Amino acid sequence: MPSKVYFADLRSGYRENLFDKLTRLLTEAGLTDLFQRGSLVAIKVHFGEKGGHAYIRPTFLRRIVDILRDAGHKPFLTDSSTLYPGERKEAISALRCAIENGFDFAVAGAPLIMCDGLRGHSARRVPINGELLQEAEIGSEILEADGLVVVSHFKCHELTGFGGAIKNLGMGCSSRTGKMEQHCNVAPTVKEERCTSCGACLRVCAHSAIRAVDGKARIDPEKCVGCARCITICRDTAISINWGAESNQVMKKMAEYALGAVNGKPDRVLFINFVTQVSPLCDCYGHTDAPIVPDQGILVSRDPVAIDQAGVDLVNRAEALPGTALVTNLKAGEDKFRGLHPEIDWEVSLEHGEKVGLGSRKYLLETLKPKGRDW
């Protein structure tokens, strides 16, 4: 059976502003009916890196928090530490970055709690019925919460083609060990003829896996965790991965880890995707490039596979914006994700998520009716 996906465009006016429209959308999707009164509800978000700006505005999170609090629940905002160096590599830096990006109690109306503890190791292993994995290591506070609301910025991604609900679940709710387990197949290699010994990859590697040997960068596979940071920093494109095979494994593991993140919460998880400012790369960089298509709207569903499929369809049906990183597949109906990252088979995470029982790619789109006319 197709899963229900609720959709609201971004039109608003004096009869109904966008925050009130979001409230109506979430009410129709049944947000307040998911949890028993007094539930501790984790709102999983991406706090954004310092210097980026495509993350979801904290004022939208405030509206979600207010809805839950008015219904008698106890929401908190949560995110996890990262593998790569940056502003979110452990709890102190991550929470400071979150507050600087506007995710403060005074704005969002809820406390901030890292789901994986001080250094990214507060986690438990839970059983999953996967094809590749039988266990997943998930942040403790995700597992301890009575309910889960996964709020994702839908965008393109250099490793998985796109990032949405499945990635926010599988990668975003896992511990550092869990992230390493998902990335472990991504083993980059250096093409020595292209390496100019600029040293950028040595400086950016957080795991001391790269050293200079005879004036060329060399990666130690025993130390490499596969975070792929060195690839994106190399200006000479000297570092590469067999993306076709390796990224497929990451996407499959990520879908299976998503099963672990919803462990023990049957019918107590809701997904919200903001298909806005659809950037070419993920939100983990200290910059945000221009969006490739016009803002599409907000999606809500209880099915992470269906909501991500709907997000992909919205982006691909749109006409591309001029002057962006996207230079091919610009027409409505063309594949924008393969236009940006042709080596990535983005459908793998959706196909595998459906295969392991995470959700369904078939969906029924319920479009929110306008409340009067302002134009």
Side-chain angles (χ1 to χ4, degrees):
M1 293 290 291
S3 297
K4 276 191 178 182
V5 178
Y6 299 84
F7 171 71
D9 62 27
L10 302 181
R11 296 300 301 268
S12 65
Y14 73 90
R15 294 179 187 273
E16 185 179 49
N17 63 38
L18 191 54
F19 298 101
D20 292 339
K21 194 172 187 177
L22 175 61
T23 297
R24 192 156 61 91
L25 180 68
L26 292 173
T27 300
E28 287 205 14
L31 171 60
T32 57
D33 300 329
L34 287 179
F35 317 117
Q36 293 183 354
R37 188 174 180 85
S39 292
L40 303 178
V41 181
I43 302 177
K44 174 61 182 74
V45 296
H46 189 301
F47 289 147
E49 275 294 329
K50 190 173 181 179
H53 59 269
Y55 51 83
I56 298 166
R57 294 176 185 172
T59 44
F60 287 113
L61 275 299
R62 177 61 180 256
R63 182 53 64 103
I64 300 168
V65 166
D66 286 345
I67 294 170
L68 291 169
R69 289 181 64 185
D70 290 346
H73 308 307
K74 300 175 182 178
F76 63 95
L77 304 185
T78 191
D79 199 1
S80 62
S81 302
T82 60
L83 278 178
Y84 56 81
E87 297 296 324
R88 298 183 300 122
K89 56 184 176 294
E90 32 71 19
I92 305 303
S93 300
L95 292 175
R96 179 177 180 134
C97 179
I99 292 169
E100 290 177 351
N101 283 343
F103 295 93
D104 196 358
F105 189 94
V107 178
L112 277 61
I113 301 173
M114 296 298 289
C115 71
D116 56 355
L118 186 65
R119 298 183 183 275
H121 299 298
S122 179
R124 296 204 312 266
R125 298 196 74 83
V126 296
I128 54 175
N129 187 24
E131 182 180 278
L132 302 176
L133 304 170
Q134 295 304 306
E135 289 185 327
E137 188 166 295
I138 304 299
S140 297
E141 309 316 320
I142 295 293
L143 298 175
E144 289 292 330
D146 300 313
L148 181 60
V149 178
V150 181
V151 187
S152 309
H153 169 227
F154 192 87
K155 66 281 182 186
C156 304
H157 196 281
E158 61 278 13
L159 179 58
T160 57
F162 71 89
I166 296 174
K167 190 171 189 302
N168 202 2
L169 265 184
M171 201 68 71
C173 293
S174 63
S175 66
R176 288 179 64 86
T177 300
K179 291 179 176 66
M180 290 172 65
E181 189 170 33
Q182 292 172 74
H183 280 100
C184 67
N185 291 93
V186 183
T189 57
V190 178
K191 297 177 182 177
E192 292 192 0
E193 68 276 11
R194 291 188 180 180
C195 179
T196 59
S197 302
C198 69
C201 59
L202 278 73
R203 292 190 295 271
V204 81
C205 182
H207 309 281
S208 302
I210 308 177
R211 59 194 179 98
V213 178
D214 298 328
K216 301 291 182 180
R218 185 169 297 176
I219 299 172
D220 184 346
E222 296 297 319
K223 294 182 179 180
C224 177
V225 302
C227 70
R229 194 74 167 181
C230 57
I231 297 169
T232 57
I233 202 70
C234 181
R235 65 189 181 192
D236 303 305
T237 64
I239 305 176
S240 63
I241 286 175
N242 180 10
W243 288 112
E246 308 301 353
S247 66
N248 287 1
Q249 290 293 96
V250 174
M251 286 186 275
K252 287 181 178 181
K253 290 181 179 180
M254 187 174 71
E256 294 185 12
Y257 251 75
L259 285 173
V262 298
N263 181 274
K265 294 181 177 59
D267 302 320
R268 287 183 280 121
V269 184
L270 190 73
F271 302 93
I272 307 170
N273 278 6
F274 282 72
V275 191
T276 58
Q277 203 166 348
V278 182
S279 47
L281 302 174
C282 74
D283 292 340
C284 295
Y285 295 100
H287 66 275
T288 300
D289 201 359
I292 63 167
V293 295
D295 290 350
Q296 298 299 299
I298 306 170
L299 297 166
V300 182
S301 181
R302 298 188 184 189
D303 184 331
V305 177
I307 196 173
D308 278 355
Q309 181 68 65
V312 165
D313 292 342
L314 284 174
V315 171
N316 282 340
R317 288 170 187 161
E319 195 83 22
L321 290 169
T324 77
L326 181 64
V327 295
T328 62
N329 298 1
L330 303 176
K331 296 179 181 178
E334 293 185 328
D335 192 330
K336 310 298 186 297
F337 305 96
R338 284 191 172 90
L340 278 167
H341 306 294
E343 69 278 15
I344 304 299
D345 183 7
W346 55 262
E347 291 185 275
V348 168
S349 62
L350 297 170
E351 292 171 348
H352 198 69
E354 188 173 56
K355 183 177 182 180
V356 298
L358 183 63
S360 171
R361 294 184 70 180
K362 296 179 181 178
Y363 64 92
L364 178 64
L365 196 68
E366 297 275 354
T367 301
L368 193 70
K369 295 179 180 178
K371 190 174 183 179
R373 282 200 171 272
D374 293 310
W375 53 88

